[in-house]
Amino acid sequence: MASNPAALRPAEDLAHALAGHLAFLAESQPAGAHDVRIGNDLHGGFARDFATADGGRVMVVAFTSQQFADLARTTGRAGTFAFLERVLHADFSATDDLLTYRGTIAALLAPWFARRTVGDLAVAFAGTSVSWAPLPNLTARPRGSSLRPG
């Protein structure tokens, strides 16, 4: 899920159209919110969107234990997660424990993402198995598109 902005433009247009049909745009417009009521949790792995230092948001997904290990290593949280596994009697290579402790994991990762730009993340995740991509702002008009929110 590495990012290629030029290749994502048709997908971004489609996402805006689909989101409009599902009423997500109307839901997010009043407060200018990026998150909608359904969230981004994933059963069978870890998935979460994070705010970045440049005002963007990125989606990060770890379906496999290798992807989660790479995410932990890249963010400098491997030792912290290993400690939590011991204290909580958890196994973050097990999908049930990733789901159970997703809030704690996300809270520990959020400051790392908040201190980096989308460009910084591209460099940090290059050569890793971490799946990630910038999220489009659903309240903004897509680039080069006649689609409008609402």
Side-chain angles (χ1 to χ4, degrees), residues 31-94:
H34 288 278
D35 299 326
V36 292
R37 68 185 167 351
I38 61 169
N40 285 316
D41 293 326
L42 169 73
H43 186 73
F46 175 81
R48 188 57 61 106
D49 62 300
F50 294 99
T52 60
D54 53 3
R57 293 192 78 77
V58 295
M59 184 73 187
V60 177
V61 179
F63 287 109
T64 68
S65 58
Q66 181 61 54
Q67 288 174 322
F68 187 77
D70 281 353
L71 177 62
R73 234 183 339 272
T74 302
T75 60
R77 302 298 191 268
T80 302
F81 292 147
F83 174 77
L84 280 177
E85 286 177 309
R86 287 191 304 277
V87 170
L88 299 171
H89 304 285
D91 178 3
F92 293 156
S93 68

Side-chain angles (χ1 to χ4, degrees), residues 96-118:
D96 286 344
D97 285 346
L98 279 178
L99 183 64
T100 300
Y101 297 108
R102 68 191 178 273
T104 303
I105 293 166
L108 291 168
L109 291 171
W112 186 87
F113 283 92
R115 290 190 302 271
R116 286 161 180 80
T117 66
V118 172

